[in-house]
Amino acid sequence: MAEAVASAGGIAMAASTSATPGQVSAILGFLWVFAAWAYAELLFHRKNAASRKARHSDVNLAVMDNNSVKGEEQTMLLEEGGQAAAAKPVYASFTSQLLRIQRHQVTDKNICLVQQTFLDGPDASSGESFDTESNFGGYLLYFYICDRTNLLGESTKSYSRDLFLFLYFLLIVVAAMTSFKIHQDKSAFTGKSILYLNRHQTEEWKGWMQVLFLMYHYFNAKEIYNAIRVFIAAYVWMTGFGNFSYYYVRKDFSLGRFAQMMWRLNFFVIFCCIVLNNDYTLYYICPMHTLFTLMVYGALGILNKYNEIRSVMAIKFVACFLVVILVWEVPGVFDMVWSPFTFLLGYTDPSKPDLPRLHEWQFRSGLDRYIWIVGMIYAYYHPTVEKWMEKLEEAEARTKLYIKASIVTVSLTAGYLWYEYIYKLDKITYNKYHPYTSWIPITVYICLRNFTQEFRSFSLTLFAWLGKITLETYISQFHIWLRSRVPNGQPKWLLSIIPNYPLLNFMLTTAIYVAVSHRLFELTNTLKIAFVPSRDNKRLSYNFVAGVAISVALYFVSFVLVGIAGY
């Protein structure tokens, strides 16, 4: 026991000697939140205790009121010559009620003061909000323990194609048996249940791709590298498709909506960067989706009152392509544009320290530089395709069969040619063709997944559920499923809770990892609702300024403390 305590102390000391001002700021901030949560809980329990006493006193007050009535009746009897003894009148009712109200008001004011101090929403419970923030801090502490200490072990990755395929197809079978669902949603454009590229389908699509993406990392399945590149392109395609659909249809370019989207994409990852001392681009999916979301927002937001004009939209699409060509294809322009943002997007892999700081960002963003525009174009023509599909479903059987057979034949042929001449290339050569060809397998999948009403109407809700938490599972895998051990390190090891039992360890760590990811998804959305109002720009601005002020103050104090400690 003594050795274990000494070892833990050594770990803690080693961690403390390398603490950064950002990490100290996070510790101070979460201690502040935890203290406020404990105080709010104390006030809440006091209020409940006062309420219970008040309910008990109401019973006594009712008895005393009855005694008072009886006293008045006895007095009347005496005035009328009766023999009853005089009763003493009771005056405690008003005093007890006043004290009870006063106690409640004091407690409510204290809770409201704490609530306003920590920027809670007007309709939120302060205790619940503090509990959410404390939970979030606790999970980040778990991240640090798993990845940056030796309290838990690690093991090496190993790949078996048989095991890999067995686990994945087993999951598909289980999903089909337990979560198969047929949907009857009505189209916003036609009013009929066409369900072309519906939300259930795209969430399912994200889910099954994410499972393969994660298994690729866990088992080090290098042979499917090119497929993973296509999956990431599909995610970026959905960024263009989904954001364009929202902004074009809803015409909601409000600050609140924009802030909520940025919160969703970056809140969790920012705290991971601070607590674990990682660069933003280590989690490259987040800056990529942020960039392409901003570009969709800008493309549609600029002169948005003319978006209904087809020629204007054509010009916007062309302008997007020209911007991408200029920045990523013309030598020297990329560095000129992004070098001022090196502090944010720069990344140095400890295993490759000689590469330029912007190399990773150029590589990752460049691979999918065009596909978000393709997603926008598909979203623009989505209503047209849906109306065409409605007419096709109403056509006579022979015509419908001929057209659908032709679509399937063309899709399969295109997919086969892409597979033979592009997909089979080695990873370095494939990456050169990927930006210009990734739309082919995506389009093939869309055609095959939607060519009949029956195919379009069902989804496997297990994969759809996983598709909702892809951001959290992507970020969390680095630290509570895999291990990197050092800042900015790639996760080259597996987290080991049950040593020497790889499958049991896989089962346990995966269960914890998925549960934590889902909980973080809920916490992120709860805090988004509390801190980022969608229709109150004044409160949003106040929250933003207050958040910046608190962050600067915490960082300044932490910087001083770290300097004094001599880290």
Side-chain angles (χ1 to χ4, degrees):
M1 175 65 80
E3 292 178 357
V5 172
S7 176
I11 293 166
M13 186 177 296
S16 65
T17 56
S18 59
T20 65
Q23 291 172 328
V24 176
S25 299
I27 293 171
L28 294 177
F30 284 122
L31 287 176
W32 178 28
V33 168
F34 181 79
W37 167 75
Y39 181 54
E41 287 293 313
L42 177 63
L43 294 179
F44 179 74
H45 287 299
R46 283 182 179 176
K47 181 179 178 181
N48 281 351
S51 298
R52 287 193 293 270
K53 289 179 181 179
R55 287 195 295 271
H56 180 68
S57 65
D58 286 341
V59 176
N60 295 334
L61 291 172
V63 173
M64 288 188 286
D65 288 342
N66 289 335
N67 291 337
S68 178
V69 172
K70 289 180 180 177
E72 292 175 0
E73 292 175 349
Q74 291 168 346
T75 302
M76 292 176 64
L77 288 172
L78 286 174
E79 290 175 351
E80 294 172 359
Q83 300 298 318
K88 184 179 181 180
V90 179
Y91 301 105
S93 177
F94 177 75
T95 305
S96 300
Q97 190 76 0
L98 182 62
L99 289 173
R100 185 167 70 250
I101 293 172
Q102 200 169 21
R103 284 197 304 270
H104 282 218
Q105 286 179 340
V106 170
T107 306
D108 288 342
K109 285 179 180 178
N110 287 340
I111 291 179
C112 288
L113 180 61
V114 175
Q115 184 173 337
Q116 291 172 2
T117 302
F118 287 87
L119 310 176
D120 259 355
D123 300 323
S125 165
S126 61
E128 290 179 359
S129 179
F130 294 142
D131 181 64
T132 300
E133 294 159 3
S134 300
N135 267 263
F136 187 76
Y139 285 121
L140 289 176
L141 176 61
Y142 177 64
F143 276 41
Y144 190 89
I145 290 171
C146 289
D147 193 32
R148 298 298 163 82
T149 73
N150 293 323
L151 294 176
L152 297 174
E154 63 186 36
S155 58
T156 57
K157 298 180 180 181
S158 62
Y159 176 64
S160 165
R161 182 187 297 173
D162 180 51
L163 178 62
F164 185 94
L165 294 176
F166 167 76
L167 291 173
Y168 187 67
F169 285 113
L170 177 63
L171 181 62
I172 292 177
V173 171
V174 171
M177 293 176 64
T178 61
S179 66
F180 182 88
K181 186 175 181 180
I182 297 176
H183 306 279
Q184 300 294 336
D185 299 7
K186 303 295 183 182
S187 169
F189 304 108
T190 65
K192 297 185 178 181
S193 187
I194 300 299
L195 295 169
Y196 168 62
L197 277 175
N198 60 84
R199 183 64 177 268
H200 310 290
Q201 184 187 127
T202 54
E203 295 288 6
E204 177 204 71
W205 186 4
K206 288 194 293 184
W208 69 255
M209 288 194 303
Q210 184 72 354
V211 171
L212 281 172
F213 180 63
L214 296 172
M215 290 177 65
Y216 160 78
H217 281 158
Y218 192 90
F219 294 105
N220 196 24
K222 295 180 180 179
E223 67 177 358
I224 64 167
Y225 172 87
N226 293 353
I228 299 303
R229 296 270 65 82
V230 175
F231 296 162
I232 295 173
Y235 288 128
V236 177
W237 180 92
M238 289 184 208
T239 294
F241 181 86
N243 283 290
F244 183 97
S245 298
Y246 179 86
Y247 291 123
Y248 188 77
V249 174
R250 300 286 184 87
K251 300 176 175 60
D252 178 12
F253 299 94
S254 64
L255 178 62
R257 162 68 184 181
F258 175 78
Q260 286 190 338
M261 179 60 70
M262 293 297 104
W263 178 287
R264 176 75 185 94
L265 289 172
N266 293 291
F267 173 75
F268 178 33
V269 72
I270 285 172
F271 276 94
C272 284
C273 290
I274 294 171
V275 171
L276 296 156
N277 193 25
N278 287 329
D279 289 333
Y280 183 39
T281 305
L282 173 67
Y283 314 93
Y284 62 90
I285 292 291
C286 298
M288 273 178 54
H289 283 284
T290 300
L291 169 65
F292 297 131
T293 297
L294 287 171
M295 295 182 80
V296 175
Y297 182 83
L300 287 177
I302 297 172
L303 301 175
N304 60 81
K305 63 181 179 180
Y306 301 109
N307 285 346
E308 299 297 330
I309 303 175
R310 297 177 70 88
S311 58
V312 172
M313 289 308 304
I315 292 172
K316 287 189 174 186
F317 289 138
V318 171
C320 288
F321 278 112
L322 291 177
V323 168
V324 170
I325 292 170
L326 176 65
V327 174
W328 275 273
E329 306 284 3
V330 178
V333 176
F334 182 91
D335 290 330
M336 183 176 64
V337 171
W338 293 111
S339 57
F341 302 98
T342 303
F343 72 98
L344 178 64
L345 297 170
Y347 169 74
T348 300
D349 187 341
S351 64
K352 303 173 183 177
D354 297 330
L355 291 176
R357 289 274 292 162
L358 287 175
H359 170 81
E360 186 74 4
W361 174 239
Q362 184 172 14
F363 172 69
R364 298 295 183 180
S365 62
L367 282 173
D368 300 307
R369 56 187 180 268
Y370 292 111
I371 197 63
W372 63 278
I373 308 175
V374 178
M376 289 173 62
I377 294 172
Y378 282 30
Y380 181 69
Y381 286 103
H382 181 272
T384 303
V385 174
E386 199 166 62
K387 291 176 182 177
W388 178 83
M389 294 177 76
E390 179 189 348
K391 292 180 180 179
L392 178 61
E393 294 299 332
E394 295 172 351
E396 62 178 16
R398 179 177 296 180
T399 302
K400 182 163 60 174
L401 179 62
Y402 174 77
I403 294 175
K404 289 184 176 182
S406 300
I407 293 172
V408 171
T409 302
V410 172
S411 299
L412 290 175
T413 302
Y416 173 77
L417 293 173
W418 170 83
Y419 176 79
E420 281 292 325
Y421 295 102
I422 304 295
Y423 181 81
K424 285 186 174 182
L425 297 171
D426 65 275
K427 60 181 287 186
I428 296 176
T429 307
Y430 174 81
N431 284 338
K432 295 177 182 179
Y433 290 97
H434 176 80
Y436 314 103
T437 61
S438 61
W439 63 273
I440 298 173
I442 292 172
T443 305
V444 169
Y445 175 80
I446 292 171
C447 291
L448 296 179
R449 185 67 175 83
N450 290 274
F451 83 96
T452 71
Q453 181 69 33
E454 291 75 21
F455 271 36
R456 295 192 297 270
S457 64
F458 82 84
S459 72
L460 303 181
T461 57
L462 175 59
F463 284 122
W465 180 80
L466 290 170
K468 295 179 188 296
I469 59 173
T470 51
L471 183 65
E472 287 72 24
T473 52
Y474 168 73
I475 297 171
S476 300
Q477 66 165 325
F478 285 79
H479 310 296
I480 62 172
W481 204 42
L482 311 172
R483 271 172 63 95
S484 58
R485 297 192 301 192
V486 295
N488 290 326
Q490 295 295 325
K492 297 179 179 179
W493 294 271
L494 307 178
L495 179 66
S496 178
I497 300 177
I498 309 177
N500 303 319
Y501 291 91
L503 292 180
L504 286 177
N505 183 72
F506 172 73
M507 179 187 69
L508 179 59
T509 56
T510 301
I512 296 172
Y513 158 63
V514 174
V516 169
S517 297
H518 183 258
R519 180 59 180 152
L520 286 167
F521 167 77
E522 294 178 331
L523 294 175
T524 301
N525 283 327
T526 300
L527 292 171
K528 179 183 71 175
I529 294 170
F531 291 100
V532 190
S534 59
R535 299 296 178 187
D536 189 348
N537 288 345
K538 183 177 180 181
R539 184 170 152 247
L540 175 62
S541 301
Y542 171 74
N543 288 355
F544 176 76
V545 172
V548 170
I550 292 171
S551 300
V552 170
L554 284 173
Y555 189 85
F556 176 76
V557 172
S558 302
F559 187 80
V560 172
L561 291 175
V562 170
I564 293 173
Y567 290 158

